[in-house]
Amino acid sequence: MFAKKMTPQEYWRAGLNMAVAFESPFEFEKEREKSQTTEVNPKEDLYGAYLRENEPPVASLVINKKEVRFDGSTVKMGGVGGVATLPAHRRGGAIRACMELSLRELYSQGYALSHLYPFSTSYYRQFGFAPASQSVRWRVRLKDLQRLPKAGGKVRQLFPGDDLSPLLEIYNQAYGEINFSCLREAFDKNLEGDKPLTQKRWIFLWQDDSGKPGGFLIGSRDKEELFCCPDFSMTNGLLFVHAQALTGLLHFVWESFLANFEAIQFSVPAHIDLTCLLPELSGMDCRPVLNGMARAVNAEQLLKLCRCRGSGSLAIQVTDNILRENNDIFRLSFAPGQKNTVERVSTPPDIQMDVGNLAVLLGGARETATVLMTPGIVVNRDLDQLGQVFYRKPCHILDLF
């Protein structure tokens, strides 16, 4: 078994692997014919696993090339998607071969992070990934929104041909300081044209009294609910810059759709607590949803960029079973107003962890206290001192891949 980067003329084979693995339709002859004119997509790389030369790949994955926010800087992130193995070749190391090669190439190209959405967290831990941040999915009955105060402003529906740039403006404001969030050229190009109406999706934009956009929702019907959550079948959403915009949107939903829907379902990053805003909570339902898994591709790069509190130093031993460059003890030194310094040392470590836990802890996906609860992390220093480096921050990724 060996892996290599796929050529554009092989991409259809990755599509076939995904169709079989995910039990989705696939037009074999049409896709094979189309492959003759397929060109390289600069925003993604495809990797295949092969039994022998000149044979089709038995497994494949896609690396989506992204730029993400990290503690005030922008770093490159490889989003893993389309992981698929033909049934007759599972458990034979095909995906491991693809994963090892793709991570090796990401490292050589200057990437700092990788992220994915797992079918199984235990499966992807073997490749160094660790559970990252969470979303909170809310289901609120429309009748329970009646007591929301009027927020002012107005809501208008966006139709084909309307300016969609306010959606990107709102996204950039809402996610501008959130770790792991992706930089975008447009909020969602699939919202352009008449595709949303064909899919029975609606876009509503809230603007304040001066006309400044502050929030929007993209929703569709799911039985008796207005569904505004992003998922792989339909990337709906409800985004807001401040509480006034959220209140305005929810008041609009109650006022306009009380006769159409029983409830609204939407999700927010875990660091946003809506219990203080919603007027009636007894009938609501909210639950945490895993926001994917992450791993460091370049541990040293993340340590140099991470935002620490106060001044001090910490010796961190990092382990990585794929990228040997990350296997070392790094002394991180930091002080207010100064850039972090990172050096490789041979002194005893203050803490030991793998590249997955390093990424999610530096990114702020967990509280400091979770360090003591995490299997595989060895702590040799006071928790308060560790809290200068590993502490909770706004951390969330909205992109799906």
Side-chain angles (χ1 to χ4, degrees):
M1 185 78 65
F2 68 95
K4 66 178 181 179
K5 188 179 292 186
M6 300 174 71
T7 67
Q9 284 64 50
E10 292 180 292
Y11 289 176
W12 73 281
R13 286 287 184 179
L16 175 60
N17 292 346
M18 285 185 275
V20 172
F22 305 142
E23 301 178 16
S24 56
F26 187 82
E27 298 182 69
F28 188 92
E29 293 298 337
K30 180 180 178 180
E31 292 299 325
R32 186 169 65 171
E33 181 180 349
K34 190 170 66 174
S35 71
Q36 302 306 310
T37 56
T38 302
E39 297 181 354
V40 171
N41 184 344
K43 294 187 178 180
E44 64 180 26
D45 286 328
L46 279 70
Y47 293 86
Y50 303 78
L51 296 177
R52 286 172 288 275
E53 291 284 359
N54 302 318
E55 290 189 359
V58 300
S60 51
L61 61 79
V62 182
I63 295 293
N64 298 272
K65 299 178 178 180
K66 304 278 187 176
E67 287 187 307
V68 300
R69 300 174 178 93
F70 179 77
D71 279 359
S73 298
T74 299
V75 300
K76 295 199 290 185
M77 183 273 286
V80 182
V83 180
T85 306
L86 295 176
H89 301 281
R90 289 173 183 167
R91 302 182 186 277
I95 292 302
R96 173 166 288 279
C98 292
M99 192 71 76
E100 289 181 352
L101 177 60
S102 61
L103 287 171
R104 165 60 51 199
E105 294 202 349
L106 287 177
Y107 185 91
S108 68
Q109 294 166 13
Y111 281 71
L113 286 162
S114 184
H115 198 279
L116 56 79
Y117 296 94
F119 76 93
S120 164
T121 53
S122 61
Y123 176 80
Y124 283 106
R125 286 181 193 273
Q126 66 180 311
F127 305 119
F129 290 85
S133 57
Q134 297 180 8
S135 300
V136 177
R137 182 165 289 193
W138 287 82
R139 182 188 181 275
V140 182
R141 298 179 303 189
L142 264 58
K143 66 179 183 180
D144 290 336
L145 296 174
Q146 183 176 1
R147 293 185 178 85
L148 274 173
K150 291 186 177 181
K154 63 179 181 180
V155 172
R156 66 184 181 94
Q157 187 169 2
L158 301 183
F159 291 105
D162 287 341
D163 180 16
L164 299 180
S165 63
L167 307 187
L168 180 62
E169 178 185 337
I170 291 166
Y171 169 76
N172 285 335
Q173 291 184 62
Y175 278 79
E177 298 297 327
I178 295 183
N179 279 351
F180 295 0
S181 63
C182 296
L183 277 64
R184 297 186 178 187
E185 296 176 356
F187 177 72
D188 184 351
K189 291 185 177 180
N190 288 323
L191 297 176
E192 298 172 359
D194 61 359
K195 193 171 184 179
L197 290 180
T198 302
Q199 296 174 330
K200 300 180 182 179
R201 301 167 73 195
W202 308 285
I203 309 171
F204 295 100
L205 175 70
W206 180 89
Q207 298 168 289
D208 66 18
D209 292 329
S210 69
K212 184 177 181 180
F216 65 87
L217 72 81
I218 305 165
S220 56
R221 177 179 288 276
D222 182 4
K223 297 179 182 178
E224 298 304 313
E225 296 183 1
L226 177 60
F227 187 78
C228 302
C229 298
D231 61 26
F232 284 99
S233 62
M234 208 164 286
T235 53
N236 292 339
L238 193 160
L239 272 69
F240 51 92
V241 176
H242 41 62
Q244 183 188 7
L246 175 60
T247 303
L249 284 168
L250 292 179
H251 187 272
F252 161 76
V253 168
W254 168 76
E255 192 172 57
S256 301
F257 291 119
L258 184 60
N260 301 84
F261 299 101
E262 178 184 332
I264 180 174
Q265 190 171 162
F266 61 96
S267 61
V268 297
H271 62 270
I272 297 178
D273 186 353
L274 298 182
T275 57
C276 58
L277 182 144
L278 296 173
E280 177 56 65
L281 299 175
S282 60
M284 65 82 190
D285 176 45
C286 70
R287 59 186 177 89
V289 179
L290 180 64
N291 189 227
M293 302 178 76
R295 63 122 59 213
V297 173
N298 189 316
E300 186 172 357
Q301 187 179 160
L302 291 183
L303 289 168
K304 287 180 177 179
L305 296 175
C306 70
R307 187 175 289 156
C308 304
R309 301 191 290 195
S311 59
S313 66
L314 197 66
I316 306 167
Q317 183 171 5
V318 181
T319 59
D320 189 333
N321 63 0
I322 294 178
L323 299 172
R324 63 182 182 277
E325 293 88 344
N326 291 323
N327 284 306
D328 218 327
I329 300 173
F330 300 89
R331 178 182 287 126
L332 166 65
S333 301
F334 51 91
Q338 299 182 24
K339 292 184 178 181
N340 295 347
T341 61
V342 178
E343 56 182 331
R344 297 172 186 257
V345 297
S346 57
T347 57
D350 297 313
I351 187 169
Q352 301 164 251
M353 66 181 68
D354 69 4
V355 283
N357 285 306
L358 181 73
V360 299
L361 286 169
L362 290 179
R366 302 181 195 159
E367 301 285 353
T368 308
T370 64
V371 168
L372 299 178
M373 300 175 60
T374 308
I377 294 184
V378 178
V379 177
N380 305 313
R381 193 164 180 177
D382 184 84
L383 195 63
D384 289 339
Q385 295 169 314
L386 297 179
Q388 292 182 279
V389 177
F390 306 118
Y391 58 95
R392 189 69 178 269
K393 310 167 189 174
C395 178
H396 193 262
I397 179 168
L398 193 61
D399 290 48
L400 299 171
F401 37 81

